[in-house]
């Protein structure tokens, strides 16, 4: 009987895609959340002193994207064959390119600067990324609602999670991107995911 | 197996293309190694799936973007991506850890035009980032390796090739980094340099600026 423990802060952040994978697959795991003040005492327990970490049958894995890919493959949410897995990885990397551009802006402490950078990001940077997501979907989706191969994969779950953050910044972000809007709606409709979204803890991040 | 069934498009550089070339070399897999200068890029860009390189193209014209996705795919096809899902994940974790460091160099040090600032960023990179990174690689190797050499289990994987390539590239760009890796990766570097297929490739590959 496989055991899974996921260690992270009490928030969505870089662990949420993995939580969504567990939920979509209907798989049980220990959802361990450390508050900021408790984290220092656990830091040395993690392979690289960072979280998230997945503990699978006693083996610890760091790196959020690697964790998510591992779980998706465990639960058949990673693509039907080797090439589809690669297509899913390509979508994931492309989504993460967008996240990488946004993270420093989100972290900016000077409020005025942050607002300026955010405006610039929305106007100049985000459109390219959204276009890229749609380009990949057009080529890989086989005409369906999901990014790859006409079935739900962790690429859709990641886009759902990242999409929520984008919409928080600009609720109109997907107005000219019907396919992306529709993709998120399809993810939300999946019964196990709908149930998870309803019941998950509400946290600031 | 004709080389016509796999095409790899990238600049005539190592940078983000070399890892895939190394994996294909280690696998003894033939392919069309399409290299172009910056001057030719405007011709190629519209033909690339996201207008970026590298791109892997299969015989039927399907394209895959994203350098590490391409590397993982060709490694998996070549049996260099672990023998089960957990091993593949350990390999991915080593790759992600090396990638974090490469990206720090490319985003903080490489693009800095101001000489003074660049020297500052480089010092920080060497003293803090690389030091921590060597520690981290050592920890992962201790946790995942079954022998003296390879990062995961007891055979060559694309994680080994990525660390090998990254260290080589860093040494070329920043010779000061030489002492920082110590002796712990020497068995790995020796094994890779001694691998027949890889040695053949390394001896013949074009010399490029980076």
């Amino acid at each position: 009987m496989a055991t899974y423990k996921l260690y992270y802060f009490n928030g969505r952040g870089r662990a949420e895609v993995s939580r969504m994978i567990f939920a979509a697959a209907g798989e049980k795991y220990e959802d361990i959340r450390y508050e900021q003040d408790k984290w220092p005492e656990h830091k040395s327990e993690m392979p690289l002193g960072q979280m998230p970490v997945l503990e699978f049958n006693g083996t610890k894995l760091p790196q959020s994207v690697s964790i998510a890919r591992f779980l998706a493959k465990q639960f058949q949410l990673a693509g039907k064959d080797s090439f589809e897995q690669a297509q899913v990885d390509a979508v994931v990397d492309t989504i993460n390119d967008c996240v990488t551009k946004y993270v420093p802006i989100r972290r900016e402490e000077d409020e005025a600067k942050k607002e300026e950078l955010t405006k610039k990001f929305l106007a100049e940077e985000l459109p390219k990324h959204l276009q890229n997501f749609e380009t990949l979907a057009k080529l890989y989706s086989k005409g369906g609602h999901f990014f790859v191969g006409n079935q739900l994969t962790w690429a859709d779950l990641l886009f759902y999670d990242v999409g929520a953050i984008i919409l928080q910044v600009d609720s109109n972000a997907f107005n000219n991107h019907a396919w992306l809007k529709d993709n998120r709606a399809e993810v939300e409709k999946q019964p196990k995911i709908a149930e998870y979204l309803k019941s998950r803890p509400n946290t600031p991040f | 197996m004709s080389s016509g069934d796999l095409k790899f498009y990238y600049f005539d550089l190592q940078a983000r293309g070399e890892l895939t070339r190394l994996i294909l070399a280690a696998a003894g897999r033939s392919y069309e190694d399409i290299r172009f200068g910056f001057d030719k890029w405007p011709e190629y860009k519209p033909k690339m799936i996201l207008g970026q390189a590298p791109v892997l193209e299969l015989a039927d014209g399907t394209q895959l973007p994203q350098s590490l996705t391409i590397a993982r795919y060709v490694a998996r096809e070549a049996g260099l991506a672990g023998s089960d899902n957990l091993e593949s994940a350990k390999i991915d974790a080593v790759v992600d850890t090396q990638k974090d460091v490469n990206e720090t160099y490319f985003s903080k040090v490489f693009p800095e035009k101001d000489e003074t600032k660049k020297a500052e960023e480089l010092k920080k990179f060497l003293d803090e980032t690389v030091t921590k990174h060597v520690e981290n690689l050592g920890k992962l190797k201790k946790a995942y390796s079954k022998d003296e050499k390879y990062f995961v289990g007891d055979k060559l994987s694309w994680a080994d090739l990525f660390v090998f390539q990254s260290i080589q590239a860093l040494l070329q760009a920043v010779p000061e980094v030489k002492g920082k890796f110590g002796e712990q990766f020497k068995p790995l570097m020796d094994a890779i340099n001694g691998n027949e297929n890889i040695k053949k490739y390394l001896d013949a590959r074009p010399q490029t600026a980076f």
Side-chain angles (χ1 to χ4, degrees):
Chain A
M1 177 68 204
T3 58
Y4 299 92
K5 294 183 189 181
L6 184 67
Y7 299 85
Y8 194 56
F9 299 102
N10 186 14
R12 294 180 301 282
R14 291 190 188 276
E16 195 61 12
V17 63
S18 288
R19 295 192 186 111
M20 289 187 75
I21 292 168
F22 279 118
E27 291 283 343
K28 293 207 174 354
Y29 68 110
E30 218 181 311
D31 184 16
I32 299 163
R33 295 165 181 251
Y34 292 138
E35 296 295 342
Q36 296 285 354
D37 61 339
K38 284 277 181 278
W39 164 234
E41 65 194 69
H42 292 285
K43 195 171 151 83
S44 61
E45 294 162 11
M46 306 301 155
L48 303 179
Q50 294 171 332
M51 295 195 292
V53 161
L54 179 75
E55 193 179 314
F56 169 68
N57 292 347
T59 299
K60 286 196 166 85
L61 278 174
Q63 299 290 0
S64 61
V65 181
S66 294
I67 290 169
R69 182 180 301 106
F70 170 75
L71 292 171
K73 280 161 78 178
Q74 287 293 94
F75 309 138
Q76 282 80 52
L77 285 167
K80 288 189 233 41
D81 57 36
S82 182
F83 193 69
E84 272 200 5
Q85 284 181 14
Q87 290 174 314
V88 171
D89 283 345
V91 175
V92 166
D93 281 356
T94 305
I95 295 170
N96 280 331
D97 281 350
C98 179
V99 171
T100 300
K101 280 275 173 345
Y102 181 59
V103 162
I105 297 171
R106 197 177 177 79
R107 292 207 178 128
E108 176 58 58
E109 289 179 346
D110 179 326
E111 280 303 323
K113 195 159 183 231
K114 184 172 177 173
E115 204 181 314
E116 196 195 309
L117 290 171
T118 303
K119 270 212 184 94
K120 194 158 180 255
F121 174 81
L122 291 174
E124 296 170 28
E125 191 65 39
L126 184 62
K128 293 188 296 198
H129 295 283
L130 297 184
Q131 186 54 58
N132 284 345
F133 304 156
E134 288 191 328
T135 299
L136 293 181
K138 216 177 182 165
L139 291 166
Y140 294 167
S141 67
K142 294 208 162 77
H145 298 286
F146 302 112
F147 274 101
V148 177
N150 207 11
Q151 68 182 34
L152 181 77
T153 68
W154 67 291
D156 303 295
L157 300 178
L158 179 65
F159 183 66
Y160 186 83
D161 189 44
V162 170
I165 297 170
I166 295 173
L167 289 170
Q168 249 178 22
V169 180
D170 174 12
S171 57
N172 294 317
F174 301 144
N175 283 1
N176 295 327
H177 295 273
W179 193 92
L180 296 178
K181 248 186 166 165
D182 177 67
N183 168 265
R184 293 188 79 251
E186 278 303 312
V187 168
E188 264 173 353
K189 261 168 39 185
Q190 307 295 302
K192 293 201 185 88
I193 296 172
E195 180 54 48
Y196 172 69
L197 293 175
K198 237 176 33 194
S199 64
R200 71 178 171 182
N202 212 344
T203 52
F205 67 93
Chain B
M1 187 185 291
S2 91
S3 68
D5 64 356
L6 205 62
K7 291 188 167 91
F8 184 66
Y9 294 86
Y10 192 57
F11 299 101
D12 186 17
L13 294 170
Q14 290 187 21
R16 294 186 191 281
E18 198 61 11
L19 174 60
T20 291
R21 294 188 186 115
L22 274 174
I23 295 167
L24 290 166
R29 177 72 157 89
S30 66
Y31 67 105
E32 215 180 316
D33 184 18
I34 300 165
R35 296 167 175 257
F36 37 84
F38 291 126
D39 57 334
K40 288 277 186 285
W41 175 233
E43 282 173 44
Y44 281 96
K45 189 175 158 83
K47 301 183 193 166
M48 303 289 103
I49 183 172
L50 296 181
Q52 296 169 340
V55 160
L56 187 75
E57 189 178 290
L58 304 190
D60 67 359
T62 313
Q63 289 189 352
L64 212 54
Q66 299 289 0
S67 59
L68 291 180
T69 285
I70 293 168
R72 182 179 303 104
Y73 171 68
V74 305
R76 183 164 56 237
E77 293 296 293
L80 290 167
S83 54
D84 60 27
N85 193 14
L86 184 59
E87 273 202 349
S88 299
K90 290 173 182 174
I91 290 165
D92 283 345
V94 174
V95 166
D96 282 355
T97 303
Q98 181 62 55
K99 175 188 170 213
D100 283 347
V101 168
N102 294 354
E103 295 304 322
T104 301
Y105 178 75
F106 280 117
S107 63
K108 296 258 161 66
V109 184
F110 186 72
E112 185 55 66
K113 299 274 187 274
D114 179 315
E115 284 302 324
T116 314
K117 263 205 177 148
K118 188 169 179 145
E120 255 173 56
E121 286 294 342
L122 180 58
K123 186 170 194 309
K124 199 164 163 228
F125 178 72
L126 291 172
D127 292 346
E128 295 171 22
T129 308
V130 174
T131 304
K132 186 95 200 18
H133 177 57
V134 172
E135 240 179 72
N136 283 345
L137 285 184
K139 285 180 186 166
L140 292 180
K141 188 151 180 282
K142 188 144 181 259
Y144 299 156
S145 179
K146 288 207 177 94
D147 69 8
E148 283 302 302
K149 299 194 288 257
Y150 303 116
F151 269 97
V152 177
D154 55 11
K155 61 186 270 253
L156 182 73
S157 76
W158 70 290
D160 301 304
L161 294 174
F162 190 38
V163 173
F164 171 83
Q165 174 57 27
S166 301
I167 291 177
Q168 279 215 324
L170 196 55
L171 280 169
Q172 191 176 321
V174 185
E176 298 94 306
V177 94
K178 193 151 203 265
K180 303 231 79 169
F181 288 93
E183 288 302 298
Q184 61 176 312
F185 302 119
K186 192 169 185 310
L188 174 65
M189 305 300 270
D190 287 347
I192 292 175
N193 278 313
N195 176 299
E196 209 178 301
N197 284 348
I198 297 175
K199 188 177 183 334
K200 217 165 74 184
Y201 171 73
L202 292 176
D203 287 344
R205 76 175 166 186
Q207 292 301 315
T208 55
F210 61 94

